[in-house]
Amino acid sequence: MKPENLLIESADPGIRIVKIARPKALNALNTQTLQELKEVLSAEAANPETRVLVLTGDGEKAFIAGADIAEMKDMSTSQGVQFAQLGHEVTKLLELMPKPTIAAVNGYALGGGTELAISCDFIVASDKAVFGQPEVALGIIPGFGATLRLSKFVGLPRAKELIFSGRKLKADEAKALGLVNHVYPVAEFHEKALGLAREIALQSHSAVAKAKDLLNEFSESTGLNFKLDAEAQAFGRLFGSPDQREGMSAFVEKRKAAFQGLARG
Ligand code: COA
């Protein structure tokens, strides 16, 4: 069935562009969009015509503004676990498919947006891109793999700082930290990202696939499923907590969250 929240484009032979297109929610990932991504990425993983996959957001404002907060607001623990597990299926497809995946981050990449980007092999960004893991401001933790993958890009202390503070990073800062390989002015961004994809698509597909497999294997992805499952369980257990209810209600009601237990003076 044709996806409702994705656009699939073929730029050059061998290059497939998957665009998240849910403009009303700044491309936020609801269950339907994650299901569509799972189907499309599974098909592309097996498609011999696709040599390089580029993941991007439709429009100029957002890559993905995170998991859908309105949908998550009333989730139970088991629904939270299932939601994280679906996110993990998508991120594993990006990380493990036997062909390069490039995140072309064109705007907000928050929460699940940064998490899908760091599941790709590398990230290129427009100078309008904004990254971050703001989950703690919602009373939850990252649930689509950042507790495992962010430190591979930026190192453990920086991953801790970013996840504990929820601070947003502009493209240049993200590049300085090693999160992003290249930052391009927005006017040239799509062409530059495609240029990189073309360069890779011209190489031996089987050699590139083998290199990806080994680079993943050697960069300590042992225990991937066990670690992601631990994250999904911890993510789910926060659902129904006072801070999760307050954090997400505050976002939906467009006000600041007032978390428990913090004496303000
Ligand atoms: N989930 C659900 N809806 C979202 C969303 C998300 N993660 N991010 C944005 N939206 C929706 C907003 O609710 C708003 O909908 P409305 O027009 O029906 O009110 C619409 O997208 C536009 O967002 P808005 O906040 O008005 O745009 P902005 O330019 O003022 O701010 C952001 C942009 C990205 C800074 C802000 O939307 C934001 O902080 N989003 C949440 C980011 C986040 O915490 N992600 C992690 C989730 S785990």
Side-chain angles (χ1 to χ4, degrees):
M1 230 171 51
K2 198 171 177 300
E4 274 178 35
N5 297 332
L6 303 179
L7 298 171
I8 320 296
E9 295 171 6
S10 296
D12 289 41
I15 300 174
R16 191 75 92 195
I17 304 172
V18 177
K19 286 186 178 175
I20 292 97
R22 208 183 154 225
K24 277 191 213 150
L26 300 185
N27 301 337
L29 299 170
N30 59 356
T31 299
Q32 181 186 339
T33 310
L34 287 168
Q35 288 287 7
E36 290 180 1
L37 274 169
K38 185 178 143 185
E39 278 168 36
V40 164
L41 295 175
S42 303
E44 293 304 334
N47 181 354
E49 307 273 301
T50 302
R51 299 169 77 91
V52 179
L53 186 137
V54 178
L55 182 72
T56 192
D58 194 36
E60 285 190 1
K61 187 161 177 185
F63 173 71
I64 296 167
D68 190 310
I69 300 167
E71 185 181 339
M72 287 191 294
K73 187 169 86 63
D74 298 316
M75 282 183 183
S76 63
T77 286
S78 61
Q79 288 169 326
V81 172
Q82 279 170 24
F83 191 60
Q85 286 170 336
L86 178 57
H88 288 158
E89 289 184 68
V90 170
T91 62
K92 279 196 285 181
L93 278 161
L94 290 166
E95 186 174 52
L96 301 176
M97 75 167 71
K99 52 195 78 181
T101 52
I102 302 175
V105 175
N106 51 306
Y108 286 112
L110 298 174
T114 289
E115 288 176 298
L116 261 59
I118 59 177
S119 304
C120 293
D121 293 311
F122 56 86
I123 303 172
V124 297
S126 91
D127 55 7
K128 298 277 183 277
V130 177
F131 296 84
Q133 298 292 159
E135 288 85 353
V136 290
L138 297 165
I140 58 166
I141 59 170
F144 293 174
T147 61
L148 172 62
R149 296 190 182 101
L150 188 58
S151 60
K152 291 187 188 176
F153 280 71
V154 301
L156 187 58
R158 283 177 176 146
K160 286 178 172 171
E161 181 184 335
L162 291 173
I163 290 175
F164 298 169
S165 68
R167 190 160 54 84
K168 296 185 181 71
L169 298 177
K170 291 190 172 160
D172 282 344
E173 197 183 351
K175 181 164 181 253
L177 294 185
L179 184 59
V180 162
N181 282 14
H182 304 282
V183 177
Y184 301 116
V186 71
E188 305 165 18
F189 167 65
H190 284 290
E191 199 39 48
K192 292 282 191 189
L194 275 183
L196 214 47
R198 275 184 207 117
E199 195 181 330
I200 295 170
L202 288 174
Q203 312 308 320
S204 154
H205 182 51
S206 55
V208 170
K210 180 47 80 182
K212 173 168 175 168
D213 185 31
L214 288 177
L215 282 155
N216 278 343
E217 187 66 30
F218 295 162
S219 75
E220 194 249 331
S221 51
T222 48
L224 177 71
N225 288 330
F226 173 79
K227 289 172 185 167
L228 291 178
D229 190 53
E231 184 190 68
Q233 301 298 331
F235 177 82
R237 277 198 295 277
L238 291 168
F239 281 78
S241 68
D243 279 359
Q244 179 267 326
R245 291 295 189 233
E246 167 59 13
M248 294 195 183
S249 299
F251 178 80
V252 170
E253 293 160 18
K254 301 188 188 291
R255 60 174 174 82
K256 266 197 183 321
F259 292 122
Q260 292 193 332
L262 187 63
R264 291 174 198 271

